[in-house]
Amino acid sequence: MTKTGLFFSLLCTLLISTLSLAQYTSSDWESRDKWMKTDFLLEMAEVSAGDVVADIGCHEGYLSMHLARKVESSGRVYAVDVRDDRLATLRENANSRNLSNIITILGDYDNPKLPEGALDCVFVIDTYHEITAYKKVINHIRKALKSKGQIMVLEKLKKRIIGKSREEQVAAHSLAMHYVEKELQQAGFSIVSKIENHGLWEKEDDKQMWVILAKKTLQ
């Protein structure tokens, strides 16, 4: 590699590292509270003190922190990710906020490894489109929920891939509501409510958020 190539490689690595760190500062989280309307989502899912919930695709713990405060010390949050480094950062974030009711789980790509029949609600926020084995994962989630447990899915739909196939949308890290709605119903869920336009992801004009709240049905 030439000196010029090495310089640009190092510069890119530095920029990526810097952006990765900046993405999860407290100020960024506060901004996300507003554009994602997080408090509204937790009210919509009726999360309350004593609940047992899960955050699948938790990353460094943005939603897990909110959930931990909402369910209070009598409740429990299972924070699931497939990367242990993210979970390590989440534990640091939780400790710095004196939150002791979060349990981290290193999940598999086809299994979130949640306890069966224990959960009141599972949140899958901006993660569903990343799940290749979605049928298996949905089935695991259903088994983990209590008899009247719920799942909330939030995704973003990019304008340029509206009307495209599921495969094309997933390749663009995006997904339309109708795909997920059908998949949840086929897996034994009934739709409780849905929001087709929940606002703009990160306030970007080409990324419209949608939300589905579904309930486990008895089979």
Side-chain angles (χ1 to χ4, degrees), residues 92-118:
E92 293 174 3
N93 287 331
N95 288 336
S96 68
R97 291 163 174 78
N98 296 315
L99 296 170
S100 59
N101 57 347
I102 300 176
I103 297 172
T104 56
I105 298 177
L106 182 62
D108 292 332
Y109 285 93
D110 62 353
N111 187 355
K113 298 182 180 179
L114 295 168
E116 291 194 13

mmCIF file of all heavy atoms in Angstrom, residues 92-118:
data_model
loop_
_atom_site.group_PDB
_atom_site.id
_atom_site.type_symbol
_atom_site.label_atom_id
_atom_site.label_comp_id
_atom_site.label_asym_id
_atom_site.label_seq_id
_atom_site.Cartn_x
_atom_site.Cartn_y
_atom_site.Cartn_z
ATOM 1 N N GLU A 92 -21.984 -0.833 30.819
ATOM 2 C CA GLU A 92 -21.334 0.373 31.338
ATOM 3 C C GLU A 92 -22.332 1.517 31.427
ATOM 4 O O GLU A 92 -22.362 2.256 32.421
ATOM 5 C CB GLU A 92 -20.159 0.765 30.437
ATOM 6 C CG GLU A 92 -18.995 -0.205 30.446
ATOM 7 C CD GLU A 92 -17.930 0.163 29.440
ATOM 8 O OE1 GLU A 92 -18.086 1.213 28.775
ATOM 9 O OE2 GLU A 92 -16.946 -0.587 29.313
ATOM 10 N N ASN A 93 -23.150 1.670 30.386
ATOM 11 C CA ASN A 93 -24.168 2.723 30.383
ATOM 12 C C ASN A 93 -25.183 2.517 31.502
ATOM 13 O O ASN A 93 -25.612 3.474 32.161
ATOM 14 C CB ASN A 93 -24.886 2.761 29.030
ATOM 15 C CG ASN A 93 -24.025 3.341 27.923
ATOM 16 O OD1 ASN A 93 -23.160 4.181 28.170
ATOM 17 N ND2 ASN A 93 -24.235 2.894 26.705
ATOM 18 N N ALA A 94 -25.587 1.277 31.710
ATOM 19 C CA ALA A 94 -26.553 0.973 32.764
ATOM 20 C C ALA A 94 -25.952 1.251 34.142
ATOM 21 O O ALA A 94 -26.606 1.837 35.014
ATOM 22 C CB ALA A 94 -27.014 -0.469 32.662
ATOM 23 N N ASN A 95 -24.709 0.833 34.341
ATOM 24 C CA ASN A 95 -24.058 1.052 35.633
ATOM 25 C C ASN A 95 -23.907 2.535 35.941
ATOM 26 O O ASN A 95 -24.101 2.964 37.084
ATOM 27 C CB ASN A 95 -22.679 0.372 35.653
ATOM 28 C CG ASN A 95 -22.775 -1.141 35.715
ATOM 29 O OD1 ASN A 95 -23.779 -1.686 36.177
ATOM 30 N ND2 ASN A 95 -21.747 -1.829 35.241
ATOM 31 N N SER A 96 -23.566 3.310 34.921
ATOM 32 C CA SER A 96 -23.388 4.751 35.139
ATOM 33 C C SER A 96 -24.701 5.444 35.465
ATOM 34 O O SER A 96 -24.705 6.540 36.016
ATOM 35 C CB SER A 96 -22.758 5.400 33.900
ATOM 36 O OG SER A 96 -23.654 5.391 32.801
ATOM 37 N N ARG A 97 -25.821 4.788 35.133
ATOM 38 C CA ARG A 97 -27.145 5.345 35.407
ATOM 39 C C ARG A 97 -27.823 4.642 36.587
ATOM 40 O O ARG A 97 -29.002 4.848 36.844
ATOM 41 C CB ARG A 97 -28.020 5.240 34.151
ATOM 42 C CG ARG A 97 -27.562 6.163 33.025
ATOM 43 C CD ARG A 97 -28.163 5.755 31.685
ATOM 44 N NE ARG A 97 -27.846 6.712 30.633
ATOM 45 C CZ ARG A 97 -26.675 6.788 29.993
ATOM 46 N NH1 ARG A 97 -25.711 5.934 30.300
ATOM 47 N NH2 ARG A 97 -26.475 7.682 29.050
ATOM 48 N N ASN A 98 -27.070 3.797 37.272
ATOM 49 C CA ASN A 98 -27.582 3.069 38.451
ATOM 50 C C ASN A 98 -28.810 2.228 38.118
ATOM 51 O O ASN A 98 -29.756 2.143 38.913
ATOM 52 C CB ASN A 98 -27.904 4.049 39.586
ATOM 53 C CG ASN A 98 -26.666 4.758 40.099
ATOM 54 O OD1 ASN A 98 -25.627 4.137 40.314
ATOM 55 N ND2 ASN A 98 -26.768 6.069 40.268
ATOM 56 N N LEU A 99 -28.783 1.599 36.954
ATOM 57 C CA LEU A 99 -29.881 0.725 36.535
ATOM 58 C C LEU A 99 -29.420 -0.724 36.673
ATOM 59 O O LEU A 99 -28.536 -1.178 35.938
ATOM 60 C CB LEU A 99 -30.281 1.034 35.089
ATOM 61 C CG LEU A 99 -30.847 2.438 34.838
ATOM 62 C CD1 LEU A 99 -30.986 2.707 33.339
ATOM 63 C CD2 LEU A 99 -32.184 2.621 35.547
ATOM 64 N N SER A 100 -30.032 -1.437 37.588
ATOM 65 C CA SER A 100 -29.605 -2.811 37.887
ATOM 66 C C SER A 100 -30.611 -3.866 37.432
ATOM 67 O O SER A 100 -30.461 -5.051 37.751
ATOM 68 C CB SER A 100 -29.358 -2.967 39.393
ATOM 69 O OG SER A 100 -30.534 -2.664 40.123
ATOM 70 N N ASN A 101 -31.642 -3.458 36.709
ATOM 71 C CA ASN A 101 -32.689 -4.401 36.306
ATOM 72 C C ASN A 101 -32.597 -4.796 34.834
ATOM 73 O O ASN A 101 -33.572 -5.237 34.231
ATOM 74 C CB ASN A 101 -34.080 -3.830 36.610
ATOM 75 C CG ASN A 101 -34.321 -2.485 35.932
ATOM 76 O OD1 ASN A 101 -33.393 -1.856 35.440
ATOM 77 N ND2 ASN A 101 -35.574 -2.049 35.919
ATOM 78 N N ILE A 102 -31.410 -4.635 34.242
ATOM 79 C CA ILE A 102 -31.183 -5.027 32.851
ATOM 80 C C ILE A 102 -30.309 -6.281 32.804
ATOM 81 O O ILE A 102 -29.245 -6.318 33.415
ATOM 82 C CB ILE A 102 -30.505 -3.898 32.047
ATOM 83 C CG1 ILE A 102 -31.377 -2.645 32.032
ATOM 84 C CG2 ILE A 102 -30.226 -4.358 30.615
ATOM 85 C CD1 ILE A 102 -30.726 -1.455 31.336
ATOM 86 N N ILE A 103 -30.787 -7.291 32.082
ATOM 87 C CA ILE A 103 -30.024 -8.521 31.880
ATOM 88 C C ILE A 103 -29.617 -8.585 30.411
ATOM 89 O O ILE A 103 -30.468 -8.536 29.522
ATOM 90 C CB ILE A 103 -30.861 -9.758 32.241
ATOM 91 C CG1 ILE A 103 -31.235 -9.735 33.720
ATOM 92 C CG2 ILE A 103 -30.105 -11.046 31.908
ATOM 93 C CD1 ILE A 103 -32.205 -10.820 34.113
ATOM 94 N N THR A 104 -28.318 -8.651 30.137
ATOM 95 C CA THR A 104 -27.854 -8.708 28.757
ATOM 96 C C THR A 104 -27.778 -10.152 28.275
ATOM 97 O O THR A 104 -27.412 -11.057 29.023
ATOM 98 C CB THR A 104 -26.474 -8.042 28.603
ATOM 99 O OG1 THR A 104 -25.543 -8.650 29.495
ATOM 100 C CG2 THR A 104 -26.556 -6.549 28.901
ATOM 101 N N ILE A 105 -28.145 -10.345 27.003
ATOM 102 C CA ILE A 105 -28.132 -11.669 26.384
ATOM 103 C C ILE A 105 -27.404 -11.587 25.044
ATOM 104 O O ILE A 105 -27.769 -10.780 24.179
ATOM 105 C CB ILE A 105 -29.557 -12.199 26.147
ATOM 106 C CG1 ILE A 105 -30.311 -12.372 27.464
ATOM 107 C CG2 ILE A 105 -29.516 -13.524 25.377
ATOM 108 C CD1 ILE A 105 -31.750 -12.821 27.289
ATOM 109 N N LEU A 106 -26.390 -12.407 24.868
ATOM 110 C CA LEU A 106 -25.725 -12.523 23.577
ATOM 111 C C LEU A 106 -26.513 -13.532 22.746
ATOM 112 O O LEU A 106 -26.420 -14.742 22.955
ATOM 113 C CB LEU A 106 -24.278 -12.982 23.758
ATOM 114 C CG LEU A 106 -23.443 -13.104 22.476
ATOM 115 C CD1 LEU A 106 -23.307 -11.749 21.790
ATOM 116 C CD2 LEU A 106 -22.071 -13.695 22.779
ATOM 117 N N GLY A 107 -27.330 -13.019 21.857
ATOM 118 C CA GLY A 107 -28.208 -13.879 21.083
ATOM 119 C C GLY A 107 -27.542 -14.425 19.833
ATOM 120 O O GLY A 107 -26.456 -13.978 19.440
ATOM 121 N N ASP A 108 -28.189 -15.399 19.222
ATOM 122 C CA ASP A 108 -27.773 -15.890 17.910
ATOM 123 C C ASP A 108 -28.576 -15.154 16.845
ATOM 124 O O ASP A 108 -29.602 -14.538 17.137
ATOM 125 C CB ASP A 108 -28.033 -17.393 17.792
ATOM 126 C CG ASP A 108 -27.124 -18.207 18.712
ATOM 127 O OD1 ASP A 108 -26.004 -17.728 19.006
ATOM 128 O OD2 ASP A 108 -27.543 -19.306 19.136
ATOM 129 N N TYR A 109 -28.141 -15.252 15.609
ATOM 130 C CA TYR A 109 -28.852 -14.560 14.530
ATOM 131 C C TYR A 109 -30.243 -15.136 14.294
ATOM 132 O O TYR A 109 -31.105 -14.476 13.720
ATOM 133 C CB TYR A 109 -28.025 -14.597 13.247
ATOM 134 C CG TYR A 109 -26.856 -13.650 13.265
ATOM 135 C CD1 TYR A 109 -25.607 -14.068 13.690
ATOM 136 C CD2 TYR A 109 -27.016 -12.318 12.889
ATOM 137 C CE1 TYR A 109 -24.528 -13.190 13.723
ATOM 138 C CE2 TYR A 109 -25.953 -11.427 12.922
ATOM 139 C CZ TYR A 109 -24.708 -11.859 13.335
ATOM 140 O OH TYR A 109 -23.640 -10.988 13.392
ATOM 141 N N ASP A 110 -30.475 -16.366 14.740
ATOM 142 C CA ASP A 110 -31.797 -16.970 14.559
ATOM 143 C C ASP A 110 -32.496 -17.262 15.885
ATOM 144 O O ASP A 110 -33.538 -17.907 15.910
ATOM 145 C CB ASP A 110 -31.698 -18.258 13.733
ATOM 146 C CG ASP A 110 -30.849 -19.328 14.403
ATOM 147 O OD1 ASP A 110 -30.229 -19.034 15.452
ATOM 148 O OD2 ASP A 110 -30.815 -20.458 13.891
ATOM 149 N N ASN A 111 -31.921 -16.785 17.002
ATOM 150 C CA ASN A 111 -32.514 -17.068 18.312
ATOM 151 C C ASN A 111 -32.086 -16.014 19.340
ATOM 152 O O ASN A 111 -30.908 -15.940 19.699
ATOM 153 C CB ASN A 111 -32.074 -18.453 18.790
ATOM 154 C CG ASN A 111 -32.767 -18.890 20.066
ATOM 155 O OD1 ASN A 111 -33.523 -18.137 20.676
ATOM 156 N ND2 ASN A 111 -32.510 -20.116 20.480
ATOM 157 N N PRO A 112 -33.042 -15.207 19.832
ATOM 158 C CA PRO A 112 -32.706 -14.190 20.829
ATOM 159 C C PRO A 112 -32.471 -14.754 22.231
ATOM 160 O O PRO A 112 -32.092 -14.021 23.141
ATOM 161 C CB PRO A 112 -33.926 -13.262 20.806
ATOM 162 C CG PRO A 112 -35.046 -14.137 20.349
ATOM 163 C CD PRO A 112 -34.431 -15.100 19.384
ATOM 164 N N LYS A 113 -32.720 -16.037 22.400
ATOM 165 C CA LYS A 113 -32.451 -16.739 23.666
ATOM 166 C C LYS A 113 -33.181 -16.130 24.864
ATOM 167 O O LYS A 113 -32.620 -15.966 25.945
ATOM 168 C CB LYS A 113 -30.946 -16.774 23.937
ATOM 169 C CG LYS A 113 -30.147 -17.520 22.884
ATOM 170 C CD LYS A 113 -28.665 -17.558 23.225
ATOM 171 C CE LYS A 113 -27.862 -18.302 22.177
ATOM 172 N NZ LYS A 113 -26.418 -18.320 22.489
ATOM 173 N N LEU A 114 -34.443 -15.824 24.665
ATOM 174 C CA LEU A 114 -35.272 -15.264 25.735
ATOM 175 C C LEU A 114 -35.931 -16.381 26.541
ATOM 176 O O LEU A 114 -36.201 -17.456 26.004
ATOM 177 C CB LEU A 114 -36.356 -14.364 25.127
ATOM 178 C CG LEU A 114 -35.863 -13.110 24.412
ATOM 179 C CD1 LEU A 114 -36.996 -12.481 23.604
ATOM 180 C CD2 LEU A 114 -35.300 -12.103 25.416
ATOM 181 N N PRO A 115 -36.219 -16.150 27.804
ATOM 182 C CA PRO A 115 -36.900 -17.162 28.616
ATOM 183 C C PRO A 115 -38.339 -17.360 28.135
ATOM 184 O O PRO A 115 -39.025 -16.393 27.794
ATOM 185 C CB PRO A 115 -36.859 -16.569 30.027
ATOM 186 C CG PRO A 115 -36.737 -15.097 29.820
ATOM 187 C CD PRO A 115 -35.891 -14.933 28.587
ATOM 188 N N GLU A 116 -38.795 -18.584 28.112
ATOM 189 C CA GLU A 116 -40.138 -18.874 27.588
ATOM 190 C C GLU A 116 -41.235 -18.462 28.557
ATOM 191 O O GLU A 116 -41.118 -18.638 29.769
ATOM 192 C CB GLU A 116 -40.263 -20.369 27.261
ATOM 193 C CG GLU A 116 -39.421 -20.792 26.077
ATOM 194 C CD GLU A 116 -39.799 -22.167 25.564
ATOM 195 O OE1 GLU A 116 -40.860 -22.697 25.964
ATOM 196 O OE2 GLU A 116 -39.036 -22.720 24.749
ATOM 197 N N GLY A 117 -42.304 -17.898 27.984
ATOM 198 C CA GLY A 117 -43.492 -17.538 28.748
ATOM 199 C C GLY A 117 -43.288 -16.497 29.822
ATOM 200 O O GLY A 117 -44.074 -16.413 30.769
ATOM 201 N N ALA A 118 -42.274 -15.646 29.670
ATOM 202 C CA ALA A 118 -41.914 -14.725 30.750
ATOM 203 C C ALA A 118 -42.161 -13.253 30.444
ATOM 204 O O ALA A 118 -42.180 -12.423 31.354
ATOM 205 C CB ALA A 118 -40.435 -14.902 31.105
#
